[in-house]
Amino acid sequence: MFDTLKDKLQPKITTELEANYRAQKIWDQLTDKNLSATDIYHLQRSFGYDVASSLLYKTFKNSTEFQKLNQFVEAQKVFYKKEHKDVLVVVLVHNPWESRKKNENYQWRLKNLALDAGFDVAFPDIQYRRSIYPNAYYYQDLFKRWSGRQVIFITQGLASLELRLLLERSQNLDLNVLGWLNISGMLFGTSLPPTNRDLFFSIKKYFQDEYPVLPEVGRQQSYCYGPVKSKCPLTLVNMLAVRPQRYYRVFESQREQELNYWGPHDGYVTLSDYLEKPGATWPLWGQGHYIDVEMFKRRLQATLAYFLSESKITF
């Protein structure tokens, strides 16, 4: 009797193998494999978050846009060209939920990745004690220095949302934007407000001088901005992590209802929004918000070359 009661009290955890197996069976039965955000929500309520995550991963991986990107990347043999120095890669990393040191280290790794491929690189010092709007206008001032140049953006975290706001609201941006690589970034914000626990820890971290209490962290309403409406014609690649629930930290697992809409980590990324977006979504299974870019170094460098190919630039 005690064992039976204990089993009822302990929630059953779906293993990764079980989730993938169940997802594959559902996938094989689908006549239309272009799943919408609503489809993902329904599948999650019926089969659980892990199965829905696996189906979301399959949806991204089998999309026409990603297949086109993947074929180009796999065919690349040469990653460094001296002529790449004519193209400026701007690296913007801003995750206010992590320490300044972690942000700077990640920005440094992304910068080195682009430099190693022969590109000219800019990696500005982003003010972590500012909200998204001042930072967006700070980028605008920076971009004036590079007037007329061919530019590729690499963004991560909140910097992706900041850049998006800038591109949508700028009247005159004299840049030839060739492409945008969004690495696990908050391109759409989130469709849910942060929890009280998030607010508590943001205040705690503020006094520890790790990151500020931004309005976006403590506010009581959602800040999901809808579809991307950039005025710049560009090629967009979203590199996103899709993680099964067993990888969650304890407080992430407690967001049972919110996980219906939130992404697979505490970066407030709403993965389902990327089903509606332009460009390619590059899915990764089991990674976190700080994707291990060294593991994908050659593929990321080939993605930068993909932007040049799509813009019909030849060297």
Side-chain angles (χ1 to χ4, degrees):
M1 179 179 178
F2 175 74
D3 290 338
T4 304
L5 180 61
K6 183 174 67 173
D7 291 340
K8 290 182 178 179
L9 292 174
Q10 292 179 343
K12 184 179 184 302
I13 299 176
T14 304
T15 66
E16 186 173 334
L17 184 61
E18 289 174 329
N20 288 336
Y21 174 73
R22 294 170 65 191
Q24 185 62 50
K25 290 182 66 176
I26 296 170
W27 182 261
D28 292 339
Q29 296 172 11
L30 292 173
T31 54
D32 182 6
K33 300 185 187 299
N34 295 318
L35 299 179
S36 66
T38 303
D39 295 331
I40 292 294
Y41 299 153
H42 286 313
L43 289 165
Q44 181 171 325
R45 284 193 289 269
S46 301
F47 302 102
Y49 188 80
D50 286 353
V51 172
S53 295
S54 183
L55 287 166
L56 192 63
Y57 173 79
K58 292 178 185 296
T59 301
F60 288 147
K61 192 173 182 180
N62 287 275
S63 69
T64 303
E65 294 86 355
F66 177 70
Q67 290 297 324
K68 180 180 178 182
L69 167 68
N70 196 47
Q71 289 172 8
F72 180 92
V73 169
E74 292 295 333
Q76 293 301 297
K77 303 299 180 185
V78 180
F79 301 96
Y80 176 85
K81 288 186 178 181
K82 291 188 293 185
E83 294 84 354
H84 285 172
K85 69 179 183 298
D86 295 329
V87 178
L88 178 67
V89 175
V90 180
V91 181
L92 304 171
V93 175
H94 181 202
N95 185 345
W97 296 276
E98 295 288 354
S99 67
R100 175 187 292 270
K101 182 178 180 180
K102 192 168 184 177
N103 277 268
E104 291 174 345
N105 287 343
Y106 200 72
Q107 186 179 43
W108 187 261
R109 288 154 62 191
L110 293 174
K111 178 267 297 184
N112 287 340
L113 181 148
L115 276 177
D116 187 57
F119 291 90
D120 188 13
V121 179
F123 49 110
D125 182 19
I126 299 172
Q127 298 299 314
Y128 294 98
R129 293 197 174 278
R130 288 199 289 195
S131 183
I132 55 177
Y133 299 103
N135 268 341
Y137 293 117
Y138 167 64
Y139 300 157
Q140 188 174 41
D141 291 336
L142 287 174
F143 296 161
K144 291 177 181 177
R145 307 178 192 175
W146 307 316
S147 177
R149 293 204 62 177
Q150 297 170 339
V151 173
I152 294 174
F153 294 119
I154 301 180
T155 61
Q156 193 267 353
L158 198 63
S160 300
L161 185 56
E162 293 165 352
L163 179 61
R164 174 189 164 181
L165 290 174
L166 170 62
L167 294 179
E168 291 183 354
R169 299 185 181 200
S170 293
Q171 298 298 322
N172 297 305
L173 192 63
D174 186 20
L175 293 175
N176 183 8
V177 183
L178 306 182
W180 180 359
L181 177 58
N182 167 36
I183 301 182
S184 202
M186 295 180 59
L187 190 64
F188 296 94
T190 177
S191 58
L192 287 178
T195 63
N196 290 332
R197 182 186 178 91
D198 296 320
L199 177 58
F200 169 76
F201 276 104
S202 68
I203 296 173
K204 179 182 176 182
K205 296 263 185 175
Y206 173 78
F207 287 108
Q208 294 174 346
D209 199 32
E210 292 189 31
Y211 62 66
V213 181
L214 295 175
E216 290 74 34
V217 177
R219 66 192 300 174
Q220 295 303 309
Q221 69 271 18
S222 61
Y223 57 111
C224 184
Y225 290 97
V228 176
K229 298 178 181 178
S230 173
K231 297 178 181 178
C232 300
L234 52 79
T235 304
L236 174 63
V237 173
N238 301 297
M239 190 179 187
L240 289 176
V242 181
R243 298 171 66 197
Q245 200 161 354
R246 70 185 183 90
Y247 287 109
Y248 292 168
R249 286 173 280 184
V250 174
F251 73 87
E252 290 176 295
S253 299
Q254 294 173 350
R255 297 172 173 152
E256 182 177 355
Q257 296 301 317
E258 294 164 350
L259 289 175
N260 289 331
Y261 303 95
W262 285 24
H265 42 65
D266 60 346
Y268 310 117
V269 175
T270 313
L271 289 183
S272 58
D273 281 330
Y274 288 85
L275 293 171
E276 313 288 342
K277 60 92 191 72
T281 296
W282 175 356
L284 297 173
W285 186 260
Q287 286 278 328
H289 195 60
Y290 282 90
I291 291 171
D292 185 2
V293 292
E294 280 76 14
M295 183 187 307
F296 304 98
K297 177 180 177 180
R298 295 301 186 191
R299 292 175 60 82
L300 285 169
Q301 290 175 331
T303 302
L304 299 180
Y306 176 74
F307 294 138
L308 305 184
S309 171
E310 288 295 290
S311 63
K312 304 299 185 295
I313 293 178
T314 57
F315 292 109

